[in-house]
Amino acid sequence: MSYFDWFREDRLPTIYCAGCGNGTVINCTLSAIDEVGWKREETVFVSGIGCSSRASGYIAADSLHTTHGRALAFATGVKLANPDLNIVVFTGDGDLAAIGGNHFIHACRRNIDLTVVCMNNQIYGMTGGQGSPTTPRGALSTTTPYGAAEQPFDLAELAIAAGANYVSRWTSYHVKELTKSVRAGLETPGFSMIEVMTQCPTNYGRRNKFKQVADQIEYMKTHAMLRKKYDTLLEKGEPIPEGAIVIGEFARRSRPAMGVRRAA
Ligand code: SF4
C-alpha cells in the first residue's frame, strides 16, 4: 500500500479554502502512518466537527465523523472495544478545547492509546470566525471585534499536565519535523497529542493583518522558537519575544496507559 492509497480520490478536492494549512497537516499525518506501515483494515480515523474534522472523510479507511467535541469519547470507545486497532483523531482548537475540553483532559488522564492531531488555527473557521479557547489576546474575530480579552489555553501544556505520554507542538511550516513527530506519537503507547499551529487565511488571517497566506506562514517561521531556547531565556530571566510560538517535542514518557494493543 502506498501513501496515495490512503486518499479517497472520489472525495477530492477537499472543501478547504485556498491556502488553508489543514491539507499540509493531513499530508504529514498520512506520511507518518505510511512510514510506520499501518494497515488500512487496522486503522480508524475519528473526528468531531470543524474544518480540521473533515479530514477523516478524505481518507480511505474506516472513520467516524462524530458530533462537536465528542471525537475523543467515540475514539475511546473504539479503542477499548478493540485494542488491536490503531486510532488517529483529527480535531481543531474549538472542537478539542471548548466543547470537547472535558473529554480532552480525561483522555489524557486515562492515557488512552490514541494519537490526536490538533490543527490549531486559533479560531472557529467553519462557523465563520468566532473566537476559540486558543485565540490570542488582542486578536480579532467575529466575537472579539475589539480584540480577545482572555488568556488562551496552551493545549500542549494542558496535555502534559493532564497526563499524556507524548506531547509536541509544530506548525504547518515545519513539515519534516511535524511528520517525524506524528510518527513518534503513533509509536508511543498511550495518549499522544501533536498540536499543529496552522493558518486559516479566510477567517483568522484576513482579520489579523495577514493579507497573504504567505504572510502567516512567514510569521510562523520567524516566530517559532524551540523549547530549549525558550527555557534558557526563562532561566536567564530574559524577555520572551512577543508572539513567540514554542515548538518541539515537550514530553515522551511511559506512564501506565489504557487500551494498549495486546501482545501478539
Ligand atoms: Fe481552512 Fe479557515 Fe477555510 Fe476552514 S475557514 S477551510 S480553517 S482557511
Side-chain angles (χ1 to χ4, degrees):
M1 185 169 173
S2 85
Y3 160 80
F4 296 102
D5 293 330
W6 285 99
F7 287 98
R8 280 187 64 178
E9 275 186 52
D10 59 317
R11 300 299 300 272
L12 299 176
T14 67
I15 60 155
Y16 297 145
C17 309
C20 176
N22 290 354
T24 304
V25 182
I26 296 169
N27 273 327
C28 292
T29 305
L30 291 179
S31 295
I33 290 173
D34 187 52
E35 278 177 28
V36 296
W38 280 5
K39 293 183 186 143
R40 197 203 310 261
E41 58 274 20
E42 295 176 353
T43 305
V44 178
F45 295 85
V46 185
S47 58
I49 296 295
C51 297
S52 58
S53 297
R54 292 298 292 255
S56 57
Y58 301 121
I59 299 173
D62 284 341
S63 60
L64 282 166
H65 190 183
T66 72
T67 47
H68 203 3
R70 313 300 176 210
L72 283 173
F74 280 80
T76 299
V78 174
K79 186 65 178 171
L80 291 185
N82 186 354
D84 290 338
L85 292 173
N86 305 308
I87 316 282
V88 173
V89 176
F90 284 116
T91 183
D93 43 298
D95 192 56
L96 185 73
I99 193 166
N102 233 12
H103 294 301
F104 178 39
I105 56 173
H106 288 286
C108 291
R109 174 178 69 83
R110 294 182 183 118
N111 209 14
I112 183 95
D113 188 30
L114 313 169
T115 300
V116 173
V117 178
C118 177
M119 304 174 206
N120 181 358
N121 60 14
Q122 304 177 302
I123 206 154
Y124 284 93
M126 182 173 272
T127 50
Q130 296 86 357
S132 84
T134 62
T135 301
R137 288 191 76 164
L140 300 179
S141 70
T142 54
T143 50
T144 59
Y146 304 107
E150 300 163 2
Q151 191 67 22
F153 264 141
D154 183 324
L155 298 182
E157 292 295 343
L158 193 55
I160 295 168
N165 261 359
Y166 183 87
V167 182
S168 70
R169 182 191 295 122
W170 298 99
T171 80
S172 54
Y173 170 78
H174 298 85
V175 289
K176 285 189 180 166
E177 296 89 341
L178 173 58
T179 305
K180 207 172 150 193
S181 191
V182 173
R183 178 173 181 164
L186 301 176
E187 293 179 327
T188 304
F191 194 92
S192 300
M193 153 79 172
I194 296 98
E195 180 184 359
V196 194
M197 307 307 295
T198 185
Q199 73 276 11
C200 168
T202 303
N203 277 315
Y204 187 87
R206 70 192 173 98
R207 287 194 177 87
N208 288 284
K209 298 183 183 161
F210 296 109
K211 287 195 174 157
Q212 305 290 334
V213 174
D215 297 341
Q216 213 173 343
I217 296 173
E218 182 69 20
Y219 182 92
M220 291 192 283
K221 177 184 169 188
T222 54
H223 287 72
M225 177 184 287
L226 281 167
R227 175 67 174 266
K228 205 171 166 188
K229 184 172 177 192
Y230 175 79
D231 287 344
T232 305
L233 290 179
L234 277 185
E235 273 168 31
K236 291 182 176 170
E238 292 180 13
I240 306 296
E242 199 179 329
I245 303 168
V246 184
I247 55 168
E249 185 177 291
F250 301 164
R252 193 195 287 228
R253 50 195 179 183
S254 51
R255 297 173 66 252
M258 278 182 80
V260 176
R261 181 186 276 263
R262 291 180 284 254

